[in-house]
Amino acid sequence: MTGMERVLCALRGEPADRRAFTLALSLYGSRLSGCPTREYYSEPVRYLEGQREVVRLMDPDIVFAPFALPFEALAYGGEGIWLDRFPPNVRKPPFREHGQVRPLGDDLLRSPGVAYLIESTRLLAEEFGPDKAVCAVVTAPVDLPAMLLGIETWLETLLFDHERAAHLMDLATEHFLRLTGACFAAGASFVAVPVMFANLRLVTPALLEKNILPELARAFGQAKGPLVYHHGGNRILDHLGLYSNLPGVAGFLFDPRDDLAHARETLGLGRLMLGNVNGPGLARMQPGDAYASVSAILANRAGDRNFVLASAHADIPFDTNPDTLLAVRRAVVDAGAVA
């Protein structure tokens, strides 16, 4: 079977020759190809070369477009940070005040960082499709204002200035739909959306139900392809029932601390679940420990056809031992077919 066929089997709840799996190896392609990170995150061809090495090493069923959300904020201005062995970041939010934020329209897609994301997606789809699924990653519309203004300013606006919050949500939803639409047009199979500002550890229940969830539903319902709700660095099991009926969401990627058996009880049969390997934690694991950890997750989900093994959080760290990553793949292969 091809990787895409395995992913489709998981989506449909059908048997497969083995469990579909992926790791967030966006950054790791820089290490494998020996390309400096600044060049890697500036030249789509260099990114493609890195992902060729990822496929050669791991043969995952899903390949990732650049996991580089800061490029979305940098499209609005501001200064980027380039560090060896890390993805690019933003030195500080582009704006200090709400009134400075203006929609970019088509200029969003022409900004250097966003154009890089789209072209990298296109090259991956051209190279690996239809044998492998291609996953693009886009900032959630409820999170983009935090990237543009800072977390504290955005939270304060949500709580106390509903008119400006609504204006920023409109801008963020337009941004989200424009960018996800471009990713799907470039050949992305689905888009993963890390969501932070839909978690009750950050926002109140009233804010979540009256403001955040309706905005997510509005944006997700207009997306031009399937979305994966990414945990965004937080546990989502406690609130999963609130998210489960969001339109356009093909599956949920869980935090390593989320209990997958309880998640299945909440979602019911037939919904796609992904997770919940601790991606950054692999950098601290010996191969044997990684094999045991992944085997335990696979044993937990042995009878679950609608499950894809995937790493949680952001990128696998640059310094992760390749033998540790290969141990993850070996555990998947050794687990055998999905009956």
Side-chain angles (χ1 to χ4, degrees):
M1 297 182 75
T2 67
M4 178 65 86
E5 288 171 338
R6 294 187 189 98
V7 172
L8 290 175
C9 283
L11 184 64
R12 297 166 181 163
E14 298 173 353
D17 63 340
R18 65 159 173 77
R19 181 71 61 185
F21 91 101
T22 191
L23 299 175
L25 293 166
S26 172
L27 168 66
Y28 206 74
S30 172
R31 169 177 172 162
L32 292 178
S33 63
C35 182
T37 50
R38 181 149 193 169
E39 181 180 353
Y40 183 72
Y41 283 104
S42 300
E43 299 292 337
V45 172
R46 301 285 86 80
Y47 186 82
L48 174 64
E49 291 170 354
Q51 292 308 297
R52 283 175 181 156
E53 296 303 317
V54 165
V55 170
R56 186 173 290 115
L57 177 72
M58 295 295 294
D59 193 25
D61 299 300
I62 302 168
V63 293
F64 279 86
F67 205 140
L69 302 180
F71 280 143
E72 296 182 52
L74 290 173
Y76 293 81
E79 183 181 354
I81 300 174
W82 299 86
L83 300 171
D84 291 340
R85 303 187 174 195
F86 292 93
N89 211 329
V90 180
R91 188 173 300 278
K92 61 181 179 180
F95 303 106
R96 293 184 178 182
E97 299 177 2
H98 317 82
Q100 298 174 325
V101 184
R102 294 287 185 273
L104 297 179
D106 287 334
D107 286 343
L108 170 68
L109 305 183
R110 290 190 285 265
S111 65
V114 171
Y116 160 84
L117 297 176
I118 296 167
E119 179 62 9
S120 295
T121 302
R122 188 191 69 79
L123 291 177
L124 289 177
E126 185 178 79
E127 177 97 2
F128 298 113
D131 291 340
K132 295 184 182 296
V134 174
C135 174
V137 188
V138 173
T139 301
V142 295
D143 290 356
L144 180 68
M147 297 175 67
L148 300 181
L149 292 163
I151 292 175
E152 292 184 5
T153 301
W154 176 225
L155 185 56
E156 182 179 331
T157 305
L158 280 171
L159 290 170
F160 304 116
D161 194 337
H162 296 164
E163 183 177 346
R164 284 188 173 177
H167 171 74
L168 288 167
M169 286 285 203
D170 286 343
L171 179 149
T173 293
E174 179 187 347
H175 170 113
F176 175 81
L177 292 174
R178 197 177 294 274
L179 183 49
T180 54
C183 290
F184 286 123
S189 309
F190 61 93
V191 171
V193 186
V195 186
M196 184 172 64
F197 269 85
N199 193 284
L200 290 175
R201 292 174 178 83
L202 279 176
V203 299
T204 65
L207 194 59
L208 178 64
E209 295 189 38
K210 294 180 181 178
N211 299 85
I212 301 296
L213 288 177
E215 288 296 338
L216 286 178
R218 179 165 71 104
F220 288 3
Q222 297 178 72
K224 295 181 179 179
L227 308 175
V228 167
Y229 189 110
H230 184 293
H231 67 94
N234 297 295
R235 300 181 190 184
I236 60 172
L237 178 58
D238 293 346
H239 323 125
L240 184 59
L242 297 173
Y243 313 143
S244 60
N245 293 320
L246 285 169
V249 176
F252 294 85
L253 197 157
F254 290 90
D255 185 279
R257 299 164 293 180
D258 286 323
D259 186 293
L260 294 177
H262 289 167
R264 175 56 72 206
E265 292 175 4
T266 300
L267 286 178
L269 300 176
R271 298 296 301 277
L272 182 66
M273 301 195 330
L274 304 93
N276 58 348
V277 178
N278 186 336
L282 290 174
R284 303 185 297 273
M285 285 189 182
Q286 295 299 313
D289 296 328
Y291 182 93
S293 175
V294 169
S295 295
I297 296 172
L298 293 171
N300 178 279
R301 295 291 89 212
D304 191 342
R305 290 179 176 177
N306 298 105
F307 176 70
V308 172
L309 184 88
S311 61
H313 294 296
D315 272 310
I316 302 296
F318 189 98
D319 293 329
T320 305
N321 185 344
D323 289 337
T324 298
L325 301 180
L326 288 171
V328 173
R329 175 174 174 77
R330 190 167 68 253
V332 172
V333 172
D334 290 352
V338 178

